[in-house]
């Protein structure tokens, strides 16, 4: 329901207030990073890219061993390899796939590395940016990451 709400309500609202050509880039931190990436990968026709900070992209990390088709199709590390060639082509068109993580307390940069490896294997250009051991899983990190990527990549 969340994804459909974004695609059917939020995207048209944004396009109606701006223009049909307005690119929409999702952004999120922690669990929001999974949402950000998932929204883009599932519908790259509606969402133009993502900035995913400090995320895990295997939904199984959050479901405590519960798993069904809904989990699978909302777990980018699992489903992305099963997308059609035309779907992957649309993802490849985006110049804005930014995967970021710190290496400090409570960060799991391997989650970002796994997603990056999967994207690379599929020929999807993206930017992986792993920050240092002084960068922890907390709001000050994301308040530094987001302006950095916006200033340097857009």
């Amino acid at each position: 329901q969340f994804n459909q709400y974004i695609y059917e309500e939020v995207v048209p609202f944004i396009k109606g207030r701006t223009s049909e050509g307005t690119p929409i880039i999702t952004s999120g931190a922690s669990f929001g990073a999974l949402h950000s990436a998932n929204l883009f990968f599932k519908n790259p026709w509606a969402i133009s890219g993502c900035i995913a900070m400090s995320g895990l992209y295997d939904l199984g990390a959050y479901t405590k061993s519960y798993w069904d088709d809904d989990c699978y199709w909302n777990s980018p590390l699992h489903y992305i390899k099963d997308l059609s060639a035309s779907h992957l082509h649309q993802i490849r068109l985006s110049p804005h796939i930014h995967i970021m993580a710190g290496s400090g307390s409570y960060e799991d940069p391997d989650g970002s590395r796994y997603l990056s490896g999967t994207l690379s294997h599929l020929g999807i250009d993206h930017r992986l940016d792993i920050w240092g051991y002084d960068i922890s899983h907390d709001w000050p990190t994301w308040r530094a990451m987001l302006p950095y990527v916006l200033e340097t990549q857009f």
Side-chain angles (χ1 to χ4, degrees):
Q1 289 180 337
F2 172 76
N3 293 345
Q4 289 312 111
Y5 172 75
I6 299 297
Y7 302 138
E8 294 173 8
E9 301 289 334
V10 176
V11 169
F13 177 82
I14 293 170
K15 300 283 186 175
R17 301 283 179 170
T18 58
S19 74
E20 281 299 315
T22 299
I24 298 173
I25 309 289
T26 55
S27 177
S30 194
F31 192 52
L34 181 138
H35 286 299
S36 172
N38 193 42
L39 284 165
F40 168 63
F41 294 141
K42 288 180 84 168
N43 193 342
W45 296 272
I47 307 295
S48 302
C50 65
I51 303 169
M53 302 171 287
S54 304
L56 297 175
Y57 307 94
D58 175 351
L59 191 58
Y62 301 101
T63 61
K64 298 183 180 182
S65 78
Y66 176 81
W67 197 255
D68 64 10
D69 281 348
D70 287 333
C71 292
Y72 181 85
W73 289 106
N74 285 285
S75 184
L77 276 178
H78 290 93
Y79 72 74
I80 198 165
K81 66 186 181 314
D82 294 326
L83 297 175
S84 69
S86 63
H87 197 128
L88 290 171
H89 173 73
Q90 189 67 30
I91 292 170
R92 288 184 189 108
L93 294 176
S94 176
H96 291 295
I97 305 172
H98 306 279
I99 313 297
M100 307 172 77
S103 298
S105 298
Y106 303 103
E107 281 283 339
D108 186 355
D110 286 339
S112 295
R113 288 185 185 107
Y114 293 144
L115 179 59
S116 176
T118 300
L119 296 176
S120 293
H121 179 75
L122 294 169
I124 298 170
D125 192 29
H126 64 285
R127 179 180 170 90
L128 173 66
D129 198 352
I130 305 295
W131 292 27
Y133 289 97
D134 58 328
I135 305 300
S136 61
H137 193 85
D138 203 357
W139 288 106
T141 290
W142 308 317
R143 279 194 289 260
M145 283 180 172
L146 187 58
Y148 171 79
V149 74
L150 292 174
E151 290 168 6
T152 63
Q153 302 300 311
F154 286 81

